[in-house]
Amino acid sequence: AQTVTQSQPEMSVQEAETVTLSCTYDTSESDYYLFWYKQPPSRQMILVIRQEAYKQQNATENRFSVNFQKAAKSFSLKISDSQLGDAAMYFCAYRRGARSEKLVFGKGTKLTVNP
Amino acid sequence: DAGVIQSPRHEVTEMGQEVTLRCKPISGHNSLFWYRQTMMRGLELLIYFNNNVPIDDSGMPEDRFSAKMPNASFSTLKIQPSEPRDSAVYFCASSLARKASGGFYNEQFFGPGTRLTVL
């Protein structure tokens, strides 16, 4: 079974600084998708960024970017120029293949942004 | 456009009672997902439907849990009888599975969740 591990239960960053959240996963599949979701105190789950395993180029969405290391099965999220609104739980998620819709989530990392 | 709608937002009940959680997916979406979130176990997929048909219910904890999707715009998750260990936040999500390069791509849009407390 696929597993997703987020080894940092909590992280903190100063406003305007950069922070990296770690995620590793275990799979024997070659075709899969990876996601980062944000859950602010409102509880709403919001998709931040996604990465297709067949793409070598790291995904980027404005201040959010990933470092996808397929051989190492690592998928970290970098947040640049951190803002107070970035404070939230961040979840890494895995989806097997192009035709599966099942997401497997990590336990999450709580990010605090200090003014 | 309205997002995924869940009701109730909060539910407090006593052990042994029946609980029904409701979800209205985004109009036009063809897949619907039920998740449970707890501190101990994190976010787990319970069941998901595609075109109103259950596809994977391997995450449903036991026979006390059941889910239905009678039509494309409505789904329920029922717990009968409820137990204190069922206390959690239950999320519903929906997606439109569409074909993209490399296969099917679908983003799941989550509802606000229902916080269930079983006393």
Side-chain angles (χ1 to χ4, degrees):
Chain A
Q2 291 81 19
T3 58
V4 177
T5 302
Q6 293 179 250
S7 59
Q8 307 151 316
E10 296 188 25
M11 292 282 285
S12 63
V13 63
Q14 290 296 125
E15 196 175 3
E17 299 286 301
T18 295
V19 65
T20 298
L21 308 184
S22 301
C23 173
T24 58
Y25 56 94
D26 184 25
T27 184
S28 58
E29 305 288 334
S30 60
D31 179 25
Y32 52 88
Y33 294 76
L34 297 164
F35 305 84
W36 278 98
Y37 277 86
K38 171 184 178 181
Q39 186 180 40
S42 66
R43 271 196 338 233
Q44 188 78 42
M45 294 286 287
I46 303 164
L47 178 64
V48 175
I49 199 167
R50 75 175 190 273
Q51 174 81 42
E52 293 88 341
Y54 64 86
K55 289 185 177 179
Q56 293 191 342
Q57 187 173 6
N58 289 324
T60 298
E61 289 287 343
N62 300 314
R63 297 183 295 107
F64 298 86
S65 62
V66 299
N67 184 3
F68 174 46
Q69 301 289 327
K70 191 171 184 178
K73 297 180 182 176
S74 171
F75 182 61
S76 61
L77 174 70
K78 185 171 82 171
I79 306 174
S80 304
D81 185 25
S82 297
Q83 300 175 359
L84 296 177
D86 295 334
M89 285 290 292
Y90 285 82
F91 293 92
C92 180
Y94 166 99
R95 196 186 94 202
R96 184 191 72 174
R99 294 184 178 272
S100 171
E101 299 194 73
K102 182 175 181 176
L103 286 176
V104 177
F105 285 88
K107 290 288 182 67
T109 297
K110 182 179 180 181
L111 178 66
T112 301
V113 181
N114 300 310
Chain B
D1 244 354
V4 175
I5 299 172
Q6 291 187 247
S7 64
R9 293 294 305 276
H10 303 273
E11 177 80 26
V12 180
T13 190
E14 293 190 345
M15 182 174 64
Q17 296 297 305
E18 177 179 293
V19 175
T20 299
L21 310 182
R22 297 172 176 80
C23 176
K24 177 178 170 56
I26 293 172
S27 178
H29 281 192
N30 56 7
S31 292
L32 183 139
F33 309 80
W34 282 102
Y35 291 90
R36 179 174 66 177
Q37 185 177 34
T38 63
M39 288 293 292
M40 289 295 294
R41 300 176 66 90
L43 197 62
E44 305 172 282
L45 177 67
L46 299 178
I47 184 171
Y48 82 89
F49 298 82
N50 181 257
N51 292 324
N52 310 339
V53 176
I55 302 300
D56 186 340
D57 65 353
S58 59
M60 293 287 265
E62 49 199 272
D63 291 345
R64 296 185 299 106
F65 285 69
S66 62
K68 293 182 179 179
M69 192 164 186
N71 57 62
S73 59
F74 184 66
S75 177
T76 59
L77 178 67
K78 186 175 294 186
I79 309 172
Q80 166 63 19
S82 58
E83 297 182 2
R85 59 191 168 118
D86 301 331
S87 297
V89 178
Y90 291 82
F91 287 98
C92 177
S94 71
S95 71
L96 173 61
R98 56 184 173 85
K99 200 167 185 181
S101 60
F104 287 87
Y105 170 71
N106 59 324
E107 176 183 343
Q108 293 185 24
F109 293 84
F110 283 73
T114 295
R115 181 177 293 279
L116 173 65
T117 303
V118 184
L119 303 174

